């Protein structure tokens, strides 16, 4: 089992930056990869970025350039930096982990970007 807790969301002005955090606990040693997703109102949940056990990363095309995924293994943390923020980034952001074929989700953190 893996538990994920996101934090760092809030109300931010367009043009600003935000760093979202995801704290992982439980059986973290067998996690194959971590990812960030987001779900805007009335839309499906979409992946933004992934970071793998070996440290490699990949981003969906829409997330390239403004989003940066990173991790701190010593703290069992994964981060998502967003800079600059745009109003269309308003969504609930979710942390996701893949461990031994099972996906785990956090509860999400709301990001609201005002224009």
């Amino acid at each position: 089992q893996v538990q994920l807790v996101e934090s760092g969301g809030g109300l931010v002005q367009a043009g600003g930056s935000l760093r979202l955090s995801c704290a992982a606990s439980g059986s973290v040693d067998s996690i194959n990869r971590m990812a960030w997703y987001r779900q805007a109102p009335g839309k499906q949940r979409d992946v933004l970025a992934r970071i793998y056990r070996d440290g490699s990363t990949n981003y969906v095309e829409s997330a390239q350039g403004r989003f940066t995924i990173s991790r701190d293994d010593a703290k069992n943390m994964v981060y998502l930096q967003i800079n600059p923020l745009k109003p269309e980034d308003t969504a609930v952001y979710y942390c996701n982990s893949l461990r031994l074929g099972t996906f785990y989700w956090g509860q999400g953190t709301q990001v609201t970007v005002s224009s």
Side-chain angles (χ1 to χ4, degrees), residues 7-9 17-21 70 79-82:
S7 62
S17 63
L18 205 60
R19 189 178 79 159
L20 306 180
S21 300
S70 62
Y79 306 100
L80 184 70
Q81 181 82 32
I82 312 172

Side-chain angles (χ1 to χ4, degrees), residues 1-4 23-31 34 97-99 102 104-105:
Q1 293 282 344
V2 176
Q3 294 78 44
L4 303 172
S25 61
S27 301
V28 298
D29 56 316
S30 300
I31 292 176
M34 300 287 292
S97 70
L98 173 61
R99 175 186 179 270
T102 300
Y104 298 89
W105 294 93

Side-chain angles (χ1 to χ4, degrees), residues 89-110:
D89 294 324
T90 294
V92 179
Y93 286 72
Y94 295 91
C95 183
N96 169 277
S97 70
L98 173 61
R99 175 186 179 270
L100 302 179
T102 300
F103 290 97
Y104 298 89
W105 294 93
Q107 83 290 346
T109 186
Q110 175 71 47

Side-chain angles (χ1 to χ4, degrees), residues 60-71:
V60 297
E61 186 173 353
S62 60
Q64 291 178 358
R66 296 193 300 118
F67 294 78
T68 303
I69 190 171
S70 62
R71 71 185 190 199

